[in-house]
Amino acid sequence: PTRVIRVGSASEGPSLYEPVPGKRGTYAALSYCWGQSRILTTTTSTLAQRKEGFSLNELPKTCRDAIIVARELSIPYLWIDSLCIVQDSQLDWETEAGRMCSVYQNALLTIAAVDSPDSNSGLFLTCPSRRTAKLEYLTQCVLTTRGWTLQEIILSPRILWFTASELAWECGAESACECDIVPTKEWIYQSDTRLLRTKLPHTVSSHNVNWHQSWRTLVKDFTKRDLTRATDRLPAISGLAASFKHHIGGAYLFGLWEHELERHLLWCSDSFRSSNSQVSHQPQPLGKGYAPSWSWASIPGAIWF
């Protein structure tokens, strides 16, 4: 990454660190929901200040907990978007959004705040009914409703799930959770798109994967999710596009692929099915020049192929 947080220790506070190009290191990444609460960010005016250091108590609880987890796991660096991307710089935001694929694929571990609705909730939630029980899969959790987190989870090689019910672990080989600590080959989170996670790195053979069909499946999932800014529709999936390009090849055209373009063009807004094609219920384009009308990215809301 361009920037990471040096997590520090009990006696040394965290700080923003910009490694020189080519320098290698070990870091974790955080996948979480910002929510509506105020959050500490890095801006052009605070960049130098963040490098000098900041107090752990200044951070919202989810970010604070993530730094503590990284420390306890002896992971020296952590990537958090709000701090590692200069939020008021359009150039920096566009550059770093385009590198999401690399950031999450190369993280040692992704810390996933599954049930935390905002950045002040923290990682360690407890639901009233918390008990020992078999967890077949995680579904309808907060994290799976957000657009940006789809690529964060799929691109991550290892995930530590923080849920209100329990803590769970998942990597390319096995998974385990509090209710069943014996590692198993079964997935904690069952999903067609989830199984792609182990096949996305370039070193893995792709002859058993229909990458075009997998992309369309991902797009259907992605468009059902929420985005705070509708114009994030393309940036929020750009990391996955960068990873898929190694397998699909050809040009990436506003959410579609040059190869098999005729199949990717066969999309339709969900509103056409739910409103009997009544014009008044059809989604309005996101704005002139955002994406061509033949791309699903040109309108908000869920689509299907």
Side-chain angles (χ1 to χ4, degrees), residues 40-87:
L40 186 74
T41 62
T42 295
T43 62
T44 50
S45 62
T46 62
L47 179 59
Q49 179 185 343
R50 299 284 180 262
K51 291 180 184 178
E52 292 178 2
F54 47 90
S55 168
L56 201 60
N57 293 328
E58 293 181 70
L59 296 172
K61 196 171 189 314
T62 303
C63 300
R64 189 162 68 243
D65 285 351
I67 286 181
I68 293 171
V69 168
R71 287 177 178 177
E72 292 298 319
L73 293 176
S74 298
I75 301 174
Y77 302 102
L78 176 65
W79 191 89
I80 301 178
D81 56 1
S82 57
L83 290 166
C84 296
I85 300 176
V86 181
Q87 297 297 320

Side-chain angles (χ1 to χ4, degrees), residues 1 4 24-31 79 96-111 148-159 170-172 193-206 211 215 218 237-248:
V4 287
R24 300 177 66 86
T26 301
Y27 67 96
L30 176 64
S31 182
W79 191 89
E96 296 305 309
R99 301 184 64 205
M100 288 286 192
C101 171
S102 174
V103 168
Y104 281 93
Q105 275 191 343
N106 291 296
L108 176 69
L109 170 77
T110 292
I111 298 168
W148 280 96
T149 58
L150 176 67
Q151 65 178 10
E152 295 171 3
I153 294 302
I154 290 180
L155 293 171
S156 301
R158 304 170 194 85
I159 300 173
E170 191 168 302
C171 66
T193 60
R194 193 70 184 79
L195 299 178
L196 283 172
R197 185 166 56 78
T198 59
K199 299 179 173 64
L200 278 174
H202 315 150
T203 56
V204 178
S205 173
S206 61
W211 291 101
W215 177 259
L218 280 174
I237 203 170
S238 61
L240 280 171
S243 187
F244 267 69
K245 188 174 178 63
H246 291 277
H247 302 285
I248 289 180

